[in-house]
Amino acid sequence: MSLKVAIYARVSTTRDAQKDSIDNQIAYAKDWIVSKGYTVAGTYIDNGISGLRVKNRAQMQRLLADAKKQKFDAVIAKSVSRLGRNLVENLQTADIIVSSKVRLILPEDNYDSATSQSKFNFNIRALLAEEDSATFSRRIKLGRQGSARRGKYQASLPAYGYKRDEGGNLVIDEETAPTLQSIFHWYLHDGWGMQKISNYLTEHGYPTPRTVSNAGNQGTAWHQSSIKCILTNVTYTGTLCQHREEVSSHMSKERVEVPEDKQIILENAHPALISKQDYQAVQDLMKSKGTNHSNGQESLFARLMICPDCGHGMTYRKDRLRKQSGAYVCCGYVKRGKVFCSSHIIGYDTLLAAVKSDLRELICNNVRLDHLYNAVKGNVGLKQTSLTKELNKLNKQQEQLEKTLQGLITLFSIQRVTIEQFTAQNERIQSEQQALAKRKAELESILETQKDTEEQFRAFQKKIALFAQLNIDDEQILKQLLHQVIEKIEVHEDGSIKIHYNIAQPQEMGDLLQGA
């Protein structure tokens, strides 16, 4: 009976030499299969995909799934490096294939699971494949640093207001540069905020930076974050500040910040659009705005006010409804206009009076407290169900990690993994176990505190009774009361309000009573 052999081929990018092209890999494998008198059972091709992670390779995953179903008798790949460039994952891939009673053949590396007496040769080749990937990554990193030192702009897209010339250098884009300069002028000299600038650009149809660069995920709306990126980009002074981040490991691809003394900074690298004096003035202005704290009226309801329609918070505006000492307005409306949401405006004095009235009624009305208790009891029950489901899921994950650990120990005991591999995998598993244990402890603690809803509610009721002894016309006392017993305050479009009381986590009253 002729052996049915599946072919696996992979290239990542132009990095792979011509000898490792998809066509050459398949031709190489077919020649070998024919020379042995076997038959081709199918081809699995991952084209243009990195070999570092199996999860990113759909055809490799399909190959492994079909191997488990024994849809073929053997798998052939030109070499270990074609299977992948991650040592641990290559070992796991080989183990899945062979344990499925499917033969693994790698002719270029002289490895055949049916005839090889040990996996030593395979392990060495897998290690070399990963080291080759690491070496290539280091070369790329050093090459980019060298280009940066020569003044080559490294970002994938040119900064808004610039374009690239034929040599890849930044030159002024005459179409967008005036808009860029206007953004700085509006912010620094006209007193416009970032949201006002983004709203103006959107309303007047200015193409967004991603649209100008013909990048993906284009849109017609400017965002405050885009304006902030522009205002804080030192590139506009003619300075190139590069190598501010780097990949910590070619395996994890995690980006980390580079210390300032190791960043690559070149002055006068390209034409400036903004003077250094204006740029620094903008940074100082942004910093001063960030340190301006809100007044007592704003902080009284800070983080409590919510628009029920769009879900945004509500912001205090001293210049609105001045006869009412200002007003709260929906942030979604302020930032994005009436096409996004209505103002939901409510005067500060009206809001304060309504909240005080509701608190006084709650203090004196036992019937209302009982209704509140029944509603909260139902909500707590739903939350307990959700938390219990999550806890059960974590328990299953813990069991799976334990099985993985036992499998790793077995592989180490039969010398299928080295001490270095075992140590690295063991540390990863322990880290995941610790994270799961921490989350389980949190959930169990929450469930424990929610077991007796009635007890919690009585504590809340006792707190409300204690507040009856206090002067809630005193804004400092009222502020503490609001943030202890209220979860959020919703203001509807018609100006009506709904107060959501926080019963689940009653806080201690000692300090407040001592200060009364």
Side-chain angles (χ1 to χ4, degrees):
M1 183 177 177
S2 177
L3 203 69
K4 294 183 295 182
V5 184
I7 299 172
Y8 179 74
R10 179 192 66 81
V11 293
S12 52
T13 60
T14 53
R15 167 194 176 182
D16 294 304
Q18 184 63 33
K19 68 182 180 66
D20 274 335
S21 72
I22 291 293
D23 290 342
N24 280 347
Q25 289 179 58
I26 293 175
Y28 182 91
K30 284 183 176 179
D31 288 345
W32 187 92
I33 293 171
V34 171
S35 70
K36 299 293 183 180
Y38 303 149
T39 59
V40 176
T43 57
Y44 300 75
I45 301 170
D46 282 313
N47 196 352
I49 303 175
S50 168
L52 291 179
R53 290 286 181 263
V54 168
K55 67 179 182 181
N56 296 328
R57 290 184 274 152
Q59 290 301 300
M60 172 56 81
Q61 293 185 47
R62 187 169 73 89
L63 173 77
L64 296 178
D66 288 348
K68 291 176 182 178
K69 297 174 184 176
Q70 296 185 329
K71 289 188 175 182
F72 36 74
D73 304 310
V75 171
I76 184 172
K78 190 176 182 184
S79 64
V80 173
S81 66
R82 296 306 91 206
L83 287 182
R85 294 188 179 274
N86 181 317
L87 173 62
V88 173
E89 290 199 351
N90 271 344
L91 294 172
Q92 292 171 341
T93 296
D95 185 63
I96 291 172
I97 292 172
V98 174
S99 63
S100 299
K101 297 182 180 179
V102 174
R103 183 174 165 188
L104 177 60
I105 304 165
L106 307 168
E108 193 173 80
D109 291 334
N110 194 30
Y111 177 79
D112 186 334
S113 63
T115 57
S116 298
Q117 297 299 312
S118 76
K119 287 188 65 178
F120 180 76
N121 184 44
F122 179 91
N123 293 349
I124 290 296
R125 296 289 183 176
L127 179 62
L128 291 174
E130 181 173 307
E131 182 57 31
D132 178 59
S133 178
T135 301
F136 181 76
S137 179
R138 286 193 293 270
R139 288 174 180 169
I140 291 292
K141 184 184 293 185
L142 291 172
R144 287 176 176 170
Q145 291 178 19
S147 295
R149 290 189 178 93
R150 292 192 298 272
K152 287 285 185 181
Y153 186 68
Q154 298 291 305
S156 57
L157 299 176
Y160 181 78
Y162 290 104
K163 58 184 179 181
R164 281 191 173 96
D165 63 12
E166 293 180 356
N169 301 304
L170 289 183
V171 294
I172 293 175
D173 180 358
E174 300 298 339
E175 292 186 10
T176 58
T179 305
L180 180 282
Q181 292 168 327
S182 293
I183 290 172
F184 274 84
H185 183 87
W186 291 332
Y187 187 83
L188 181 60
H189 300 294
D190 291 347
W192 289 20
M194 294 183 218
Q195 193 61 55
K196 182 175 181 179
I197 294 172
S198 61
N199 288 345
Y200 178 86
L201 294 171
T202 300
E203 291 168 3
H204 288 79
Y206 285 78
T208 63
R210 297 191 70 82
T211 300
V212 171
S213 300
N214 197 28
N217 194 25
Q218 297 177 16
T220 58
W222 285 74
H223 299 286
Q224 184 173 334
S225 57
S226 300
I227 302 302
K228 185 176 182 180
C229 286
I230 286 174
L231 293 175
T232 56
N233 192 344
V234 72
T235 301
Y236 296 118
T237 66
T239 300
L240 270 187
C241 182
Q242 303 190 110
H243 190 50
R244 288 180 287 186
E245 289 184 341
E246 65 180 9
V247 175
S248 60
S249 164
H250 79 289
M251 300 295 288
S252 69
K253 299 298 183 182
E254 179 183 359
R255 300 195 68 82
V256 296
E257 291 187 8
V258 173
E260 287 189 14
D261 60 338
K262 293 185 179 180
Q263 295 177 8
I264 300 172
I265 300 175
L266 290 177
E267 303 286 349
N268 303 315
H270 52 266
L273 286 172
I274 303 297
S275 71
K276 291 183 179 180
Q277 292 78 9
D278 279 357
Y279 175 80
Q280 188 56 52
V282 166
Q283 309 316 302
D284 294 341
L285 180 57
M286 291 177 68
K287 186 176 180 180
S288 67
K289 284 187 175 183
T291 57
N292 286 338
H293 298 290
S294 58
N295 59 26
Q297 290 174 328
E298 183 180 4
S299 62
L300 181 61
F301 295 101
R303 299 177 302 281
L304 294 178
M305 305 295 295
I306 299 293
C307 171
D309 289 342
C310 69
H312 282 69
M314 298 187 69
T315 182
Y316 175 76
R317 287 289 184 265
K318 190 175 182 180
D319 58 347
R320 307 281 181 92
L321 303 181
R322 292 183 178 179
K323 292 183 179 179
Q324 289 245 345
S325 304
Y328 280 88
V329 187
C330 168
C331 286
Y333 170 81
V334 171
K335 290 182 177 181
R336 302 172 69 175
K338 60 184 178 182
V339 295
F340 180 78
C341 193
S342 56
S343 68
H344 289 251
I345 189 168
I346 185 169
Y348 173 79
D349 294 338
T350 299
L351 174 65
L352 182 59
V355 171
K356 283 183 178 180
S357 175
D358 200 80
L359 286 170
R360 287 192 176 100
E361 183 187 352
L362 190 64
I363 289 169
C364 302
N365 193 333
N366 289 328
V367 174
R368 186 174 169 209
L369 277 173
D370 288 337
H371 283 310
L372 185 60
Y373 166 65
N374 290 330
V376 170
K377 186 176 181 180
N379 289 336
V380 169
L382 290 173
K383 189 173 183 180
Q384 285 178 332
T385 301
S386 174
L387 293 176
T388 301
K389 286 183 179 179
E390 185 181 352
L391 189 59
N392 291 336
K393 184 178 179 181
L394 293 179
N395 286 330
K396 290 180 181 179
Q397 289 176 346
Q398 276 192 327
E399 292 175 4
Q400 185 59 48
L401 279 177
E402 186 62 33
K403 290 180 181 178
T404 302
L405 180 59
Q406 292 302 320
L408 179 64
I409 292 172
T410 301
L411 288 173
F412 180 67
S413 66
I414 60 176
Q415 298 183 338
R416 295 283 289 277
V417 298
T418 65
I419 183 63
E420 291 81 8
Q421 297 163 15
F422 176 82
T423 300
Q425 290 298 302
N426 185 47
E427 288 177 354
R428 179 186 64 79
I429 292 171
Q430 286 188 355
S431 176
E432 291 183 20
Q433 286 178 325
Q434 290 171 1
L436 287 176
K438 181 180 179 181
R439 179 56 181 162
K440 275 188 63 178
E442 291 174 354
L443 293 179
E444 289 167 351
S445 175
I446 294 171
L447 285 169
E448 187 66 29
T449 60
Q450 290 188 342
K451 278 184 177 179
D452 194 345
T453 308
E454 184 172 357
E455 182 179 339
Q456 292 179 21
F457 180 77
R458 297 310 169 200
F460 174 83
Q461 191 177 32
K462 183 179 179 181
K463 181 192 298 187
I464 290 295
L466 288 171
F467 270 115
Q469 305 171 25
L470 305 177
N471 176 17
I472 64 174
D473 289 325
D474 184 318
E475 287 206 355
Q476 287 304 311
I477 293 176
L478 179 61
K479 179 182 175 182
Q480 294 183 58
L481 169 59
L482 293 179
H483 287 267
Q484 287 190 40
V485 302
I486 293 178
E487 178 185 351
K488 64 181 178 180
I489 302 172
E490 293 180 335
V491 180
H492 294 270
E493 188 175 358
D494 62 2
S496 61
I497 70 170
K498 182 177 181 180
I499 300 175
H500 296 260
Y501 287 97
N502 179 24
I503 296 176
Q505 299 289 336
Q507 301 177 19
E508 294 298 326
M509 294 290 298
D511 293 341
L512 182 58
L513 289 172
Q514 290 174 9

